Amino acid sequence: MTPQTLAGAARHAIEVRKSRFIAQAAAAATPEAAAEFIAHCADPDARHNCWAWRVGARYRFHDANEPAGTAGRPILMAIDSQGLDQVAVVVTRFYGGIKLGAGGLARAYGGCAAECLRQAPRVALVERLRLRVAAGFDAVGAVHQLLAAHAGTRLHERCAADGIEVEVELPADRRAGFEQALRDSTRGHARVSVVGEPG
């Protein structure tokens, strides 16, 4: 099954025995983006701004002064149980004066996060690849046309001594088709390398 992330931000609130729980979720492609989202959502007037995020194999969670294991981990479990990736969730709690106990806290944090994610718009998480294309000046039109045909994006373009160098990004599963079409249209004169690897 293709992993999914969120297509937009989401918010959900519940009340449990006079405590108010507010979940906010959004896509986060990097740990830094997740940290920014968490900092943005944390309410300074609340004692408990609990959170979790997952980006591929990396993840973090935080209980924010709640008993260990009652907040951050249930939020992370809500992310994982719905097959989501590159997602951050913050659940803010305003204490209502009635203690919920460890089980009650875990159910409230996890349940609020899970419902927020269930309601959130989703999109398939497509792996994208950065490539560098070197071609003659006469191939500029072909490169641009093939890029559009393979759902690619032109990031940078510069003139070199013998032609152009274009840095592009496209879905990883479109790479082979893009390279073959490029070879065909330039009679094998274009060179393609992955950005960050030897060309």
Side-chain angles (χ1 to χ4, degrees):
M1 189 173 83
T2 304
Q4 293 183 315
T5 189
L6 301 187
R11 190 175 187 277
H12 180 69
I14 61 172
E15 190 169 303
V16 180
R17 300 182 70 188
K18 297 189 178 179
S19 280
R20 186 160 174 78
F21 295 82
I22 302 167
Q24 298 177 78
T30 64
E32 293 76 18
E36 277 184 32
F37 176 73
I38 290 161
H40 173 74
C41 291
D43 189 323
D45 294 331
R47 186 164 171 236
H48 307 291
N49 288 289
C50 306
W51 52 262
W53 56 258
R54 174 172 291 286
V55 177
R58 293 173 291 178
Y59 64 89
R60 292 285 183 277
F61 55 85
H62 182 58
D63 292 314
N65 298 316
E66 294 286 23
T70 63
R73 187 173 290 280
I75 297 168
L76 180 65
M77 288 172 62
I79 296 170
D80 290 345
S81 68
Q82 295 189 41
L84 293 167
D85 192 7
Q86 296 187 13
V87 169
V89 180
V90 179
V91 181
T92 300
R93 177 192 180 200
F94 293 95
Y95 182 53
I98 300 173
K99 291 187 176 181
L100 303 181
L105 285 172
R107 283 190 295 275
Y109 278 105
C112 189
E115 189 56 34
C116 180
L117 293 170
R118 269 193 290 274
Q119 294 177 11
R122 298 182 183 203
V123 65
L125 192 57
V126 178
E127 181 188 356
R128 294 183 71 80
L129 193 62
R130 282 194 176 200
L131 302 173
R132 185 173 291 112
V133 178
F137 291 114
D138 59 341
V140 173
V143 170
H144 293 176
Q145 186 177 6
L146 291 172
L147 196 57
H150 289 82
T153 306
R154 182 174 40 152
L155 302 176
H156 306 288
E157 185 171 319
R158 72 178 188 87
C159 289
D162 56 349
I164 58 160
E165 281 190 3
V166 188
E167 191 171 310
V168 304
E169 186 180 77
L170 72 161
D173 61 356
R174 305 292 290 271
R175 177 186 179 181
F178 172 74
E179 288 190 31
Q180 183 61 54
L182 192 59
R183 277 194 297 272
D184 292 345
S185 67
T186 64
R187 296 183 297 285
H189 291 148
R191 296 185 313 280
V192 179
S193 59
V194 177
V195 172
E197 292 181 2

